[in-house]
Amino acid sequence: MIRTWQLVLGSAAAGLALSAAAVVTAGPWDSGQRKAERERAASRSQAGGADHGEARLPQAAPSAPAVLAGIGPVLPAGPGASGTPAAPAAPPAPAGDPAALAAALQPLLADPALGGLRTASVVDTASGAVLYESRQGEAMTPASTTKIATAAAVLAAVGPEHRISTTVVAGPGAGQIVLVGGGDPSLTARKKAPAGSGGSLVALAADTAQALKAANTTSVTLAYDDTLYSGPVVHPIGAENGNLAPVTALTADEGRPDDSVSGPVARSQNPSGDTAAAFAGLLRERGIKVTGGPARGKAPAGVAPLATTRSTPVGALVERMLTNSDNDIAEALARQTALASGQPASFEGAEKAVANKLAGLGLDLGGSRFADGSGLNRADKLSAGLLTRLLAKAADPAHPELRPVLTGLPVAGFSGTLRARNAGDSPAAGLVRAKTGTLTRVNALAGTAVSPSGRLLSFAFLASDTGNAQAAEKALDNLAAAVATTGEETSG
């Protein structure tokens, strides 16, 4: 019987422990889920994931969680205060007999709510031992669990500290300036920047106006350059789908016409032009006359910027993407992977780049396809086995750059798209962190759970041809809870 105080401690220490170890290995970041993990995770102030209905972002809490004993072998501490290397972690104990886990999972996996095809994989991240599998190599439509692959690929490509720049440069014509998009999905035009935003058009306009006035220029024409991305800007789901704006290199506030920060909403169909128009208005407020309307143009090569604003670090963008299932961030990060890999920043180029980066991590991608970064495309294909190996790779001390894949996962019963799942008195609340996946007749859940003995397990459950989405989600939650709560004996 798990008592209330044990559940709360488990929520903080087990479900959130990975971020504390990740700070040591990867360094602090100024926003994203790492900050959120010091915040109250049951807020009811904001809407959550774009393709998973209502969920809530956390609000401030008084203190950070402690680290659960038993995480050490998975994520060892970094150098001490003196700079000397920490003592090597003890080798992980061998994984226990998986019979108990199989006995718990098999009847749950047979739930008719999971539709005509369901697959499963559970892996001990420290030893790599497969504790349970069912058709784990069969590639299926993964829905938003695709974002786990997108996250790992971009972190491998550019690292968690990389920031994306939006700049203003002098244009080719007299008295012309060019606003140049770099693909920052956190760029905001709002005067009161929302939490988690990065680049600020307001600050960029202030810096640009200052530079222009220093050069005795108070009247300009404005062009905007969004040519960093290529190919179609509209996702195959269609322009009218509120889950994703047209994918351009210059978009403020995800093309949202209101004050929302997440969730479906009708988007601008010309986000680049709207962003440039907002920038022109900000310049005028600062005493710079902008003649005519902004026009699409091309910035000259090799010109030093007049002003620059930068995104929140990629690691924090990954965390926000995973916590809220943010499709706009996902597509932007897939294109950043393409740019870093020398591929065109398009759906096609991103597909190749993500596959190449994941293969470079030593992962078997047989049967996989990464048709987009968000998982909205039904052409995406991933297996449960690949998802658990990706999560285990993110827990590998040899890959600290991948740690935001784990720290960004929503916490069951507490944050993001899992706030209302395995919540309340569920014994899995706070012990499960996972990325949800939901399309019509497709449901998935992939993440990590801390076992009763303190071991970090990665799991993935994929289901297709599901009928009732709520019933399928409940069945997946039961599977995840079983992973977190089934006791196992450890040998050796």
Side-chain angles (χ1 to χ4, degrees):
M1 176 71 180
I2 297 180
R3 302 180 188 277
T4 300
W5 69 266
Q6 292 173 311
L7 177 59
V8 173
L9 180 60
S11 302
L16 306 181
L18 294 170
S19 66
V23 169
V24 177
T25 56
W29 300 331
D30 59 2
S31 60
Q33 183 69 8
R34 177 147 308 138
K35 178 179 177 183
E37 286 176 346
R38 295 192 300 270
E39 299 176 344
R40 184 175 178 85
S43 166
R44 299 179 182 271
S45 64
Q46 291 179 301
D51 59 344
H52 301 285
E54 291 295 316
R56 310 293 175 185
L57 297 177
Q59 290 182 334
S63 61
V67 179
L68 176 72
I71 292 294
V74 179
L75 301 178
S82 64
T84 57
D97 185 349
L101 188 60
L105 293 180
Q106 284 173 355
L108 296 175
L109 196 64
D111 190 328
L114 293 175
L117 176 62
R118 69 289 304 268
T119 65
S121 175
V122 182
V123 169
D124 181 278
T125 63
S127 68
V130 176
L131 303 183
Y132 181 78
E133 61 181 22
S134 177
R135 305 177 77 166
Q136 59 86 28
E138 188 162 348
M140 298 172 58
T141 299
S144 274
T145 59
T146 297
K147 292 181 175 76
I148 294 172
T150 303
V154 72
L155 290 166
V158 303
E161 300 299 334
H162 178 71
R163 294 175 184 255
I164 304 164
S165 294
T166 304
T167 61
V168 176
V169 302
Q176 184 186 58
I177 59 173
V178 184
L179 175 63
V180 185
D184 175 9
S186 64
L187 184 67
T188 181
R190 297 172 186 172
K191 294 180 180 179
K192 184 177 180 180
S197 60
S200 169
L201 278 185
V202 177
L204 186 64
D207 291 344
T208 301
Q210 183 178 15
L212 291 171
K213 290 175 182 178
N216 296 317
T217 301
T218 58
S219 179
V220 296
T221 59
L222 176 65
Y224 62 92
D225 184 347
D226 62 355
T227 59
L228 186 66
Y229 290 178
S230 59
V233 301
V234 177
H235 190 281
I237 58 172
E240 302 307 316
N241 190 296
N243 280 308
L244 182 66
V247 185
T248 78
L250 182 63
T251 300
D253 300 300
E254 298 184 344
R256 296 174 179 273
D258 55 17
D259 292 332
S260 66
V261 295
S262 61
V265 67
R267 309 300 184 88
S268 164
Q269 294 308 301
N270 182 20
S272 295
D274 289 349
T275 301
F279 185 68
L282 292 168
L283 287 176
R284 293 186 182 104
E285 291 176 7
R286 285 152 182 79
I288 302 297
K289 181 180 179 181
V290 181
T291 60
R296 183 175 275 108
K298 178 69 176 173
V303 178
L306 296 173
T308 300
T309 186
R310 298 196 301 162
S311 73
T312 193
V314 161
L317 289 173
V318 162
E319 291 175 328
R320 177 176 158 191
M321 170 188 70
L322 293 172
T323 299
N324 296 334
S325 197
D326 193 303
N327 299 306
D328 299 271
I329 294 177
E331 297 303 343
L333 294 182
R335 278 158 178 72
Q336 293 299 314
T337 306
L339 291 168
S341 304
Q343 294 286 345
S346 62
F347 284 107
E348 183 178 351
E351 178 176 355
K352 294 177 182 177
V354 168
N356 289 340
K357 283 299 173 184
L358 297 184
L361 292 172
L363 297 164
D364 180 1
L365 305 182
S368 300
R369 185 181 175 192
F370 310 95
D372 67 2
S374 61
L376 290 171
N377 195 327
R378 290 177 179 272
D380 291 321
K381 299 296 176 185
L382 289 176
S383 68
L386 176 57
L387 286 167
T388 52
R389 291 194 301 274
L390 270 169
L391 293 161
K393 187 71 70 173
D396 187 341
H399 290 282
E401 76 281 3
L402 301 182
R403 209 71 78 240
V405 174
L406 302 185
T407 58
L409 293 172
V411 183
F414 284 86
S415 66
T417 58
L418 284 188
R419 185 194 64 83
R421 295 175 59 173
N422 267 322
D425 60 358
S426 168
L431 300 181
V432 169
R433 306 193 67 148
K435 181 69 201 74
T436 53
T438 306
L439 293 170
T440 302
R441 301 187 68 81
V442 173
N443 296 90
L445 192 66
T448 62
V450 180
S451 74
S453 64
R455 302 184 67 82
L456 184 70
L457 310 181
S458 63
F459 65 84
F461 304 108
L462 306 179
S464 67
D465 296 327
T466 56
N468 184 309
Q470 289 184 330
E473 288 178 359
K474 179 62 176 175
L476 293 171
D477 291 344
N478 290 339
L479 286 161
V483 174
T485 59
T486 301
E488 83 278 0
E489 294 297 327
T490 338
S491 60

